[in-house]
Amino acid sequence: MKCFVILFFTLFSVFSNRLVGQDLLGLPLVYNYSKSIYQGGSRTWDIKQDSHGIMYFGNSEGLLTFDGRYWKTFSLPNHTNIRSIWIDVNDRIYVGGQGDFGYFERSSQSGLTYKSLKELIPPKYRNFADIWNTVGVGQSVFFRGTDVIFELKGQKIQVHPAAVEWYFMGQSGGILYAQDRKNGLLEFRDNKWTPYITDLPFKDVKIATIMPLGKDRILLSTLNNENYALKDRKMTRLNKQDNDGSYTPSLAQIDELTFVVGNAKEGCHIRDMAGNTIQRIGVREGLQNKNVTTVFVDKQKNIWIGTDNVISVISYGSAIRYLRPNMDNDVTGYSAVIFNNTLYLSSSNGVYYANIKSDLIDQSRSPAVFSLLQGSDAGEAWRLEQLNGHVLLGHNKGLFQITDHSIKPLTQGIGTWKLLPLNMVYPIEESLVGTYQGLELLHFHNGVFSSKGLLNGPSDSFRFLEQDENGTIWASHPYRGIYRITLSKDKKSYQAELYTQKNGLPADYQNYVFRIKNQVVFATEKGLYNYDYNSKRFVPSNQFAAFKDLTIRYLKDDQDGNIWFCTKKTVGLGQFNAKKGTYHLVNFPEIEGMSTSGFEHIYSFDQNNIYVGAEKGALHINYDKYLKQSFKPVAMLSQVIATGKGDSLIFAGFFSNMSKLKGASGKDSILQLPAVFNSFRFSFSSPSYGIYQHLEFSYKLSGYDENWSSWTQQSEKSYTNLQDGQYTFLVKVRNNLNQESSVAEYSFVVLPPWYKTLWAKIGYFLLATLGVLGLIRLRKIEQHKQQLKHEKQLEQLRYIHQLEIEKNEKEIVKLNNEKLANEVITKTKELASTSMQLLENSGALIKVRDELAKLDTGDDEDSNLKRINNLLKDIEKNSANWNQFASHFDELNDGFLNKLKEKHPGLSRNDLKVCAYLKLHFTSKQIAQLQNITVRGVEIHRYRLRKKLQVETELSLNDYLNTI
């Protein structure tokens, strides 16, 4: 019995601690900035935020600033650590460093300028080490070293030496407290330190942080992870169960119910005001390093964490959280459903479940852990659905029924995608099951599901199934088109007709079918479509025109008529306006790219609990909180650089107060720049961090741009070659709910170049006057010269005229001579032609004589023949004139025959004749008549002549002769 009691109390103690230390179901999103991004040292000792929203970090390389887009570094003169920061109401940044302390003042052109206060310290105390705490109370600022506390009031420093050693200094409720190793906890009143609690419950342990705990209590934490409530000078221990002695150097309040503690072993702990840890955020939860040196909570409830080589921001107060069922091995989330106060999440490796508290508005805040549903792993658990009061699971291995925390197979062997009830009458007796290989029929009777097996029909993968108001079953295939499915009357078979681009779809691919607002719609790459039964075509949906041109992959309507949707990377909401019947699209850029690509799913339980399948489990969106939590963003200029022959920083991003965010307030304060600086680069930002950093900017340069730019995420704009004049750069920012900031302005003047100044203009006037007078004088001189020149020109014109007359007469004579010469040449050619003909006639007569000589004549005719032969001999003598003709022909044709004989000495006189005819462009027929031979004889002669002249085949004989 004694052993049983011991065992009972042991188990009870373990179970109680587990309940108390149980983490919340949802994890906040974490963003990490590595040292390579913020360009600082490896350790960050303190974090603060000013009234503008700019973040400040005490770093081992100085003071770091971050405005949401740009990091900047400001070093101390001795280039040492900054271990503590305090920012007063005027945004003066007091810092405590190593061997130095002082403050940074804002300067619009140089950014932050440092003023050391060391010279105000009495010489006796100037040799100190680190300033660990910097705190402002009332009109004084206190700097704590190990041996001394320095109080700055006005321009004087008062020294408060330690009795032994100062352990800690901090303020709560406007009262300054300090811990002394000998005297315990002291408070500073009436300009002196008085004991507050001399006998602290912890010995030789330093206090880490002190802060208000409600109205009349103070929360005090130590460096060894102990928390105490301090009231009426009495201390009560809070978190005994979490006392592991680990190093916890920092604490910050999140809200009235929670605070965060930085831990050197486990990252950070979120605790309630009773000191109980409700959530741990370490490396598994998203931090890159768990050795926390400082924590801070900004105005947006982001938790900033300084660790080794990393500065992290946790969006703890946001309305979006991660649900990661397997922290050791992240799984991809496919679908979610809540049944009997249990959240089921299907994933790439089975189904996980977790119990949720029914009285919580935000279910992600349930203290619970996920457990794996045994038997559902070793394969993809695609889709969870509720049917007839039961939870069914479409799995890679088949269809399963989930009962409590067990799983029962309904079908096995074929992967299952989706269920489609065939009627809306409860209980639904028959449902279609879309599988990898076609359709199955699921039957429900007497509370029991049974499968009727695969139906006869086309074997295809049906992941998207819907039934419209006409009873038509539609299925979609993302890479083929839309199927119209017709079931047989006995529901044992089906037919599938494929609809593609020819039926009105924008394309054959990227088509999905969903049931929204009790109607079937088809999501395409060009928006939402309906099927028109009259035209038998798909047509763009007029009711959902707000989704035009969106490539939608998933649609789901909620209880309020809103439509949740997924595109390739974006999750969004079509917020329904019941009065207008329209939709206003809202995107969630904070989770862009985090949803499950290709297997998108959104489960809307209510407005406070929206579950989105994600690459790491699921995302939880508290949409109601998301709307209430929205804030009007603030636009801020981060830097203005003017460019001439070199770059010049003219604005470093720091105004002295918020009113100056609108730019220069008077003409005298507007910066005037030389004309050489006519190109500018503007950098702008908005002090929004973590999940709130996804903003868009619009800008305009007044005096140059006519209209505002389109909205963009780019945070820089450059202008080149600006003319002289006054300009004002305007920038505004908006969030995804279309809330716009006020306009931030920066005015400047580009001075005119020297040649456009007043003195230059006076000089121009004097020079112009002198120039006019000089021109008048020169004009008179010029007129006199012109008159003399005119008279001279007249004389020259007379002379030229006479010369022209003589020249024209000579030209006329010359033309007449040329005309006569041409006539002579023409006549000569005609004479040559006639002579050639006579020569040929002579040749013909010779042939006649030869033929007569052959005749056998008698004595009577002898005398007559002799006379004829004598006559022919006389005619033959005329052929001797050939040489004279050849000479005359060569004179007319530039020695053609002589050149031809020189080049081809083997040519006969007859060959030369033919060449002369060809030179005179006689045809073969004409040559045949002249030579009294046939045309065929001429062609043969020309052929032989071609061979003698060795003329190539592709070159004509006439062309060859013309080249000689």
Side-chain angles (χ1 to χ4, degrees), residues 211-380:
M211 72 174 195
L213 183 63
K215 295 182 179 180
D216 55 355
R217 293 196 303 168
I218 296 174
L219 178 65
L220 185 148
S221 69
T222 65
L223 291 178
N224 63 343
N225 197 20
E226 295 180 2
N227 295 148
Y228 294 86
L230 178 59
K231 182 178 180 181
D232 298 330
R233 300 178 184 264
K234 294 182 179 180
M235 302 185 69
T236 304
R237 178 72 183 276
L238 295 179
N239 61 331
K240 294 182 180 180
Q241 72 280 359
D242 282 340
N243 183 18
D244 58 358
S246 59
Y247 183 65
T248 54
S250 183
L251 178 148
Q253 185 173 357
I254 299 174
D255 50 37
E256 295 179 354
L257 301 176
T258 55
F259 61 92
V260 56
V261 176
N263 191 288
K265 292 198 307 181
E266 299 180 352
C268 64
H269 294 182
I270 310 298
R271 294 177 180 170
D272 59 22
M273 288 304 176
N276 300 315
T277 298
I278 59 177
Q279 192 161 40
R280 295 172 175 83
I281 302 175
V283 174
R284 291 199 313 167
E285 290 76 16
L287 295 181
Q288 290 186 359
N289 191 290
K290 64 182 180 180
N291 183 18
V292 177
T293 54
T294 183
V295 295
F296 177 80
V297 178
D298 66 16
K299 299 173 183 178
Q300 296 170 328
K301 302 303 179 184
N302 296 309
I303 301 174
W304 292 85
I305 299 177
T307 63
D308 292 346
N309 302 308
V310 181
I311 295 174
S312 302
V313 54
I314 303 172
S315 297
Y316 189 80
S318 75
I320 301 177
R321 286 179 165 250
Y322 247 132
L323 303 178
R324 294 172 62 186
N326 191 333
M327 296 294 294
D328 296 321
N329 186 19
D330 279 314
V331 293
T332 301
Y334 292 134
S335 69
V337 69
I338 293 175
F339 186 76
N340 291 337
N341 292 327
T342 301
L343 170 63
Y344 293 94
L345 179 64
S346 68
S347 73
S348 56
N349 188 30
V351 176
Y352 293 83
Y353 66 91
N355 297 323
I356 57 176
K357 296 183 67 174
S358 59
D359 58 341
L360 284 176
I361 296 176
D362 189 333
Q363 295 168 347
S364 69
R365 304 288 176 148
S366 295
V369 293
F370 280 102
S371 299
L372 178 65
L373 186 64
Q374 296 300 321
S376 67
D377 54 346
E380 287 87 356

Side-chain angles (χ1 to χ4, degrees), residues 44-50 55-59 62-65 82-88 92-97 102 104 131-136 141-143 296:
T44 298
W45 302 98
D46 200 3
I47 306 173
K48 292 293 186 294
Q49 186 178 30
D50 68 9
M55 301 299 302
Y56 297 84
F57 305 86
N59 187 261
L63 182 68
L64 308 181
T65 68
I82 290 181
R83 298 193 183 274
S84 57
I85 304 173
W86 175 265
I87 303 176
D88 66 12
R92 176 180 282 183
I93 304 105
Y94 293 91
V95 297
F104 284 92
I131 300 297
W132 294 99
N133 301 120
T134 301
V135 180
V141 181
F142 297 84
F143 304 87
F296 177 80

